[in-house]
Amino acid sequence: VAELKDLLRARGQRVGGKKAELVERARAPGDDRGMTASSRSRTRAPASASASRRKPQNPKPPPRMRWDVTDPPLPPRAPRLDRALHPSKLTVLSWNVNSIRALLDKDPDILDEVAESEDADVVLLQETKLQTKHVPEMDARVLAKYPYRTWNCSTSRLGYSGTAMFLRREPTRPPWHDPFEMDEFEGEGRVVCAELPNVFVVGAYCPNSGEGLARLRARTESWDPRMAAYLTSLQASGDGGKPVVYCGDLNVANEPIDLWGNHAANSLASGYTPEERDSFKRLLLGPIGDGGAGLVDTFREAHGADAKAFTYFSYRAGARPRNRGWRIDYALVSESLRGEVHDAFIRGDVGGSDHCPIGVV
């Protein structure tokens, strides 16, 4: 506004009014009629003087799309499997993109590049924040090599939550959404499912317990038990059952090592409360016979109890450069697949969201 006024003042024009009026006046040709060359020079002088007093504005830095993780470094990756030698290989990639439109505005190719670099068979997204009416436009922009796809957009709150699934090969049956009663979370677009020849794949954006833990009870007493029961039912379906790969932003740091620090204070915050951690252990990792879904944390299976890596970094206080994060994104699999896990990874090198891509092979 100050610059606009300087410009108008230099032209000898009126400087009062709202910003929109100033802009319109500035866009119009200046009216120097009746002014001598010396008077024009004198009129413009305050503008340069004013400009010299103002500090130049620093341009906003470009978004950081690549990171070096060194303290500690990411766990080593397993050797890549040659698909020609391992035709039954299945790679599932999951990423909370924290608005797919915002992500693609930063780098329109990032999603395709990450999927290609992992040779992913299935790509799961969370927090797409996409409205149903925008799906055709977004469909045309991403993951062309994955023709079988579904978007589950939030309808209860537009531009909120949302999940999606992309498959390279045709599933046994078309993907489906939200397979159990959601109660408080109805219409938030939180679950996508598909059946492949050898496994079920389920992607989820688990509800955050929210500010003041307002949704903690609904999350631990409704969502968690129903999700666990559904995953158990999938494993029991068909002749002899079929295993499950369950991935997504599950919004809980299971063990102390899954949180950068400040554990006592964070135990009062969503994502690290005793109730959320107990629910995760008991209902997802607990044995099927004891009311759990009998799933295995593939990151811990592949890298051990002492491996430290995070999947989420708050945008506040420079958390990511200091590696102050949370591991709240998971790839869980049925117990019967425990021995089949070749690799479980966190792509801490990839930016663009406050979450990192994760996955399992």
Side-chain angles (χ1 to χ4, degrees), residues 198-201 234-235 240-245 333-337:
N198 298 315
V199 296
F200 289 101
V201 177
L234 288 180
Q235 294 176 88
K242 183 179 280 192
V244 166
V245 177
V333 300
S334 297
E335 176 67 35
S336 62
L337 294 178

Side-chain angles (χ1 to χ4, degrees), residues 25-196:
R25 236 174 277 146
R27 285 175 174 166
D31 187 1
D32 286 345
R33 288 173 298 176
M35 298 177 66
T36 65
S38 59
S39 66
R40 281 196 295 268
S41 176
R42 287 194 301 272
T43 304
R44 290 190 176 98
S48 60
S50 174
S52 66
R53 289 194 299 270
R54 287 193 301 272
K55 293 182 179 180
Q57 293 183 350
N58 295 324
K60 186 177 180 180
R64 188 166 177 180
M65 305 304 290
R66 292 289 182 267
W67 292 85
D68 293 323
V69 185
T70 58
D71 185 24
L74 293 168
R77 296 289 302 271
R80 169 165 277 192
L81 296 177
D82 187 332
R83 190 176 291 276
L85 301 176
H86 302 273
S88 61
K89 177 186 79 131
L90 175 69
T91 300
V92 180
L93 176 72
S94 175
W95 194 3
N96 178 322
V97 293
N98 190 20
S99 172
I100 189 168
R101 190 179 298 279
L103 176 70
L104 298 183
D105 284 346
K106 297 170 187 174
D107 183 343
D109 300 317
I110 187 68
L111 193 54
D112 288 83
E113 289 174 356
V114 174
E116 185 71 23
S117 69
E118 294 297 339
D119 190 27
D121 299 283
V122 182
V123 178
L124 302 168
L125 303 181
Q126 301 89 47
E127 211 171 354
T128 58
K129 298 184 179 180
L130 198 66
Q131 295 184 40
T132 303
K133 65 181 180 181
H134 298 140
V135 165
E137 170 210 344
M138 196 57 63
D139 243 348
R141 294 180 62 184
V142 298
L143 298 170
K145 295 181 180 179
Y146 297 77
Y148 307 98
R149 52 183 62 198
T150 187
W151 300 82
N152 188 8
C153 301
S154 174
T155 55
S156 61
R157 289 176 58 186
L158 299 182
Y160 171 74
S161 187
T163 50
M165 176 185 287
F166 303 82
L167 303 106
R168 191 191 294 267
R169 295 176 182 80
E170 185 175 8
T172 303
R173 54 177 166 140
W176 62 97
H177 304 162
D178 300 337
F180 51 87
E181 292 295 326
M182 298 287 175
D183 290 343
E184 186 174 334
F185 313 108
E186 194 70 37
E188 293 184 357
R190 292 189 175 272
V191 184
V192 285
C193 312
E195 182 178 5
L196 306 185

Side-chain angles (χ1 to χ4, degrees), residues 90 92 199-201 231 235 242-247 250 284-285 293-299 301 330-344 359-361:
L90 175 69
V92 180
V199 296
F200 289 101
V201 177
L231 296 170
Q235 294 176 88
K242 183 179 280 192
V244 166
V245 177
Y246 177 44
C247 298
L250 305 189
L284 291 179
L285 305 185
L295 302 181
V296 176
D297 180 350
T298 60
F299 181 81
E301 181 67 19
Y330 295 84
L332 308 180
V333 300
S334 297
E335 176 67 35
S336 62
L337 294 178
R338 182 190 291 269
E340 302 296 321
V341 175
H342 174 72
D343 192 15
V360 62
V361 182

